[in-house]
């Protein structure tokens, strides 16, 4: 299973020198544009998805020369310093807990960072489509296929639960 996985791969955009401006991360409507640099390490390639508290991007790790998924916290409208600290604390807890889970059906989280006030985590990039996309396109899945997917999801969740981790946002859009 994949908490917020990306859907495609590609090379970094042409302009690696663009950086994120502090004012660009001040609202929940913010989208990091392709070519945006977070520090000297990550270059945004594309937005993959947006949830209630975060957005997930395909990014290029300039140091390791690999594609990663990069998840940001979206600042809430009218959020207070206490709310932001609470969001950041949960974000960090998510990273620390998820790093304890090692299973082929669970995406690995690698790094926690901040650039221009924007907190982010990086995860293993998984190419493909979400279960939600598959079901919208294909409709009801044949029983053998659905059972196979259910077993893989259950195996990943069992590994997470064995490590004391509870996935709080399990839905078709978060399963690759």
């Amino acid at each position: 299973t994949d908490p917020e996985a990306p859907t495609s791969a590609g090379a970094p955009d042409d302009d690696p020198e663009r950086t994120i401006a502090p004012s660009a991360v001040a609202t929940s409507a913010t989208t990091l544009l392709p070519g945006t640099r977070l520090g000297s390490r990550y270059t945004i390639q594309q937005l993959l998805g947006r949830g209630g508290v975060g957005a997930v991007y395909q990014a290029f790790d300039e140091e390791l020369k690999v594609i990663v998924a990069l998840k940001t916290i979206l600042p809430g409208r009218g959020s207070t310093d206490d709310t932001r600290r609470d969001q950041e604390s949960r974000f960090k807890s998510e990273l620390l807990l998820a790093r304890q889970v090692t299973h082929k059906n669970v995406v690995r989280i690698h790094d926690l960072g901040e650039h221009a006030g924007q907190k982010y985590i990086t995860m293993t990039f998984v190419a493909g489509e979400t279960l939600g996309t598959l079901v919208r396109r294909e409709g009801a899945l044949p029983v053998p296929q659905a059972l196979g997917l259910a077993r893989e999801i259950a195996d990943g969740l069992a590994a997470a639960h064995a490590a004391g981790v509870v996935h709080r946002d399990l839905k078709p859009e978060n399963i690759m």
Side-chain angles (χ1 to χ4, degrees), residues 135-146:
V135 170
R136 280 189 297 278
R137 187 183 72 245
E138 301 291 328
L141 300 177
V143 172
Q145 183 181 9

Side-chain angles (χ1 to χ4, degrees), residues 1 3 12 17 27 39 42-43 61 106 114 124 141 158:
T1 59
E17 296 309 311
T27 69
Y42 301 105
T43 302
D61 182 330
V106 178
E114 180 177 347
T124 301
L141 300 177

